[in-house]
């Protein structure tokens, strides 16, 4: 692997694995005028043997533990093509002086894309998408009997950028929105122009009832639809468990556009079988890629999409530009922009 182009140093960018191919394709396209930036895809199994050759790593769905990171002896930055960094041992990177970052979703269109997918899954379950396909194939008209989103109560678990984007999209449907967040902003005595609205005013207009993580069981009992937008942490792994689903209304819908590990698989299957859970719509799964033979697909009220909530032309073009700009900034040693450092 050459380290120079025309005797000038090369900055090498590593994309881990073949999934989410538009991420690397758009990044290469953005950087095609800069021969001193090299963008490579390396198979997941080969990353540990090759990571030492790279300066910037785009992690995607690779798990970078301390063993892999210890081999990254030229690495300057590990980043996600999006926001999720649960697969990166941030402490190990920090010990080795490697920065770790995410791309904020509000500026790239990623949050809006994910929010739209949540709407798609909600409507697909309410209008019985799978059963409609059966009716088409059987030449039936006027069935299945669906439900409206109008008048429903939606519980948004995790009111970050995606949660706010989702609430904005949901309001015109005539729904009641309840939401939880680790901490809600307080009214600070900061001068705000009369024409401008504070973040609190925006949130208060969107959310009918606010709560914190300790309130999730109570709030779940009010909701017709629960949408999981939480980050995956040690505290949230398996948070959608038997106790939580049991606290939901009988027949309520469960949507997950965040991370598969938030849901307890056995609990979800159990409550689908008992028909306590009215439907499941997920863009992320317990194992990815998803097993097409998974028995959960036998349920007509289950819709699964292949981790594409944030995969849109707008969001991927925007994030590819961020990665490309960061690679150029690393190359010349200027401050990094468009990313959020976590260490």
């Amino acid at each position: 692997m050459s380290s120079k182009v025309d005797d000038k140093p090369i900055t090498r960018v590593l994309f881990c694995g073949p999934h989410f191919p538009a991420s690397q394709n758009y990044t290469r396209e953005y950087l095609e005028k800069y021969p001193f930036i090299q963008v490579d895809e390396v198979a997941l199994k080969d990353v540990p043997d090759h990571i030492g050759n790279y300066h910037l790593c785009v992690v995607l769905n690779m798990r970078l533990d301390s063993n892999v990171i210890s081999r990254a002896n030229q690495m300057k930055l590990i980043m996600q093509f999006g926001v999720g960094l649960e697969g990166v041992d941030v402490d190990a990177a920090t010990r080795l002086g490697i920065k770790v970052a995410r791309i904020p979703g509000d500026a790239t269109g990623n949050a809006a894309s994910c929010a739209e997918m949540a709407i798609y899954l909600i409507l697909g379950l309410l209008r019985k998408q799978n059963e409609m396909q059966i009716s088409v194939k059987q030449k039936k008209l006027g069935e299945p009997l669906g439900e409206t989103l109008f008048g429903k109560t939606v519980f948004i678990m995790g009111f970050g950028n995606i949660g706010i984007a989702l609430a904005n999209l949901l309001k015109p449907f005539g729904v009641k929105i309840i939401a939880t967040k680790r901490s809600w902003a307080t009214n600070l005595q900061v001068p705000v122009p009369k024409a401008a609205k504070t973040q609190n005013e925006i949130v208060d207009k969107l959310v009918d009832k606010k709560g914190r993580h300790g309130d999730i069981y109570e709030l779940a009992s009010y909701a017709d639809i629960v949408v999981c937008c939480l980050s995956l942490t040690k505290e949230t792994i398996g948070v959608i468990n038997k106790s939580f689903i049991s606290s939901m209304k009988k027949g309520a819908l469960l949507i997950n556009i965040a991370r598969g590990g938030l849901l307890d698989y056995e609990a979800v299957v159990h409550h689908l079988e008992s028909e306590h859970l009215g439907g499941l719509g997920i863009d992320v799964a317990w194992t990815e890629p998803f097993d097409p033979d998974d028995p959960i697909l036998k349920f007509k009220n289950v819709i699964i999409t292949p981790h594409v909530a944030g995969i849109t032309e707008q969001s991927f073009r925007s994030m590819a530009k961020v990665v490309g700009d960061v690679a150029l900034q690393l190359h010349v040693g200027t401050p990094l922009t468009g990313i959020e450092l976590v260490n």
Side-chain angles (χ1 to χ4, degrees), residues 73-132:
N73 50 31
Q74 297 187 67
M75 192 66 61
K76 296 178 181 178
L77 176 69
I78 295 169
M79 67 181 293
Q80 182 57 282
F81 202 87
V83 296
L85 288 167
E86 66 279 354
V88 179
D89 188 332
V90 178
D91 291 336
T94 303
R95 288 194 297 270
L96 293 169
I98 302 171
K99 292 296 183 182
V100 180
R102 59 168 59 95
I103 303 176
D106 55 339
T108 61
N110 185 62
S113 298
C114 291
E116 288 179 6
M117 178 59 78
I119 297 287
Y120 166 80
L121 292 170
I122 290 169
L123 293 175
L125 290 174
L126 286 172
R127 303 309 294 264
K128 298 182 170 60
Q129 175 180 301
N130 294 334
E131 292 175 56
M132 284 194 288

Side-chain angles (χ1 to χ4, degrees), residues 64-75:
L64 292 185
D65 58 22
S66 58
N67 177 55
V68 177
I69 293 172
S70 69
R71 303 183 185 198
N73 50 31
Q74 297 187 67
M75 192 66 61

Side-chain angles (χ1 to χ4, degrees), residues 20-24 26-27 81 108 110 310-321:
F20 311 97
S23 62
Q24 54 197 276
Y26 286 169
T27 302
F81 202 87
T108 61
N110 185 62
I311 317 301
T312 61
E313 178 84 16
Q314 178 191 1
S315 67
F316 263 45
R317 290 280 185 194
S318 297
M319 290 190 289
K321 181 180 184 302

